[in-house]
Amino acid sequence: MVIGILGVVVAALALGVSIWSVVTTRLMAQRQTELQGRLLALEAARAEAQARETLRASVRAAIQKVGSDWRLIVLNEGQATARKVMVELDGGPLLAHALVPRGQDEVTKLGPGTSARYLLAPTMGSPMKVNACVTWADDSGGERSWESELTLM
């Protein structure tokens, strides 16, 4: 009789452990499914961000001394073509600035990894710093801009 009761208790304990195991496994499976969903969403967001990056141009400007000449270099470091590129120095058009000699053509389109170079002709009394602003449009939509103070040094 004691052995019969002991057998029932052991069976009940085994059933309890089995039920606990099933519940725990189900909860873990649900958590894993949630985590996989989050990972999938993150991966999709990363892929979307990479796709957007391929549509963006990244245009910058710098002043560089080449030999005895000064150059304003406008560079597209992005993966897309920059269109409607417009450079302003000290709030005015690039080609109208006192540092830029006449007779140069302004580039309005820069492909990925390309640059435009403009000769600068500083004279005695010319400013050593200029505020540069570059605006452009690209395939990502809208107008983008970059702005910085550049120095002739």
Side-chain angles (χ1 to χ4, degrees), residues 83-153:
R83 295 173 183 78
K84 300 179 186 176
V85 177
M86 187 173 77
V87 181
E88 292 182 351
L89 294 180
D90 294 329
L94 168 69
L95 299 180
H97 196 275
L99 287 174
V100 182
R102 305 299 170 246
Q104 298 183 69
D105 293 325
E106 189 168 7
V107 174
T108 59
K109 187 177 186 180
L110 288 171
T114 61
S115 64
R117 298 172 183 271
Y118 300 97
L119 180 65
L120 299 179
T123 59
M124 295 295 273
S126 292
M128 295 303 288
K129 293 181 181 180
V130 293
N131 289 314
C133 180
V134 183
T135 57
W136 69 93
D138 56 29
D139 294 337
S140 69
E143 188 173 276
R144 302 187 62 213
S145 65
W146 174 90
E147 190 170 352
S148 183
E149 183 176 83
L150 304 176
T151 59
L152 284 96
M153 291 191 164

Side-chain angles (χ1 to χ4, degrees), residues 14-113:
L15 180 62
V17 168
S18 295
I19 291 171
W20 176 80
S21 177
V22 168
V23 170
T24 302
T25 302
R26 182 168 169 82
L27 290 174
M28 291 299 275
Q30 285 177 335
R31 288 181 188 159
Q32 190 171 21
T33 302
E34 289 172 8
L35 286 174
Q36 285 176 337
R38 288 181 190 170
L39 285 173
L40 183 60
L42 286 172
E43 189 66 30
R46 186 175 67 85
E48 184 179 316
Q50 284 178 336
R52 274 195 314 261
E53 251 341 277
T54 63
L55 301 175
R56 288 191 175 179
S58 179
V59 181
R60 306 283 181 261
I63 294 177
Q64 189 176 61
K65 189 167 186 177
V66 180
S68 61
D69 293 332
W70 290 95
R71 305 269 180 191
L72 174 67
I73 300 167
V74 181
L75 173 68
N76 180 2
E77 299 171 326
Q79 298 178 19
T81 298
R83 295 173 183 78
K84 300 179 186 176
V85 177
M86 187 173 77
V87 181
E88 292 182 351
L89 294 180
D90 294 329
L94 168 69
L95 299 180
H97 196 275
L99 287 174
V100 182
R102 305 299 170 246
Q104 298 183 69
D105 293 325
E106 189 168 7
V107 174
T108 59
K109 187 177 186 180
L110 288 171

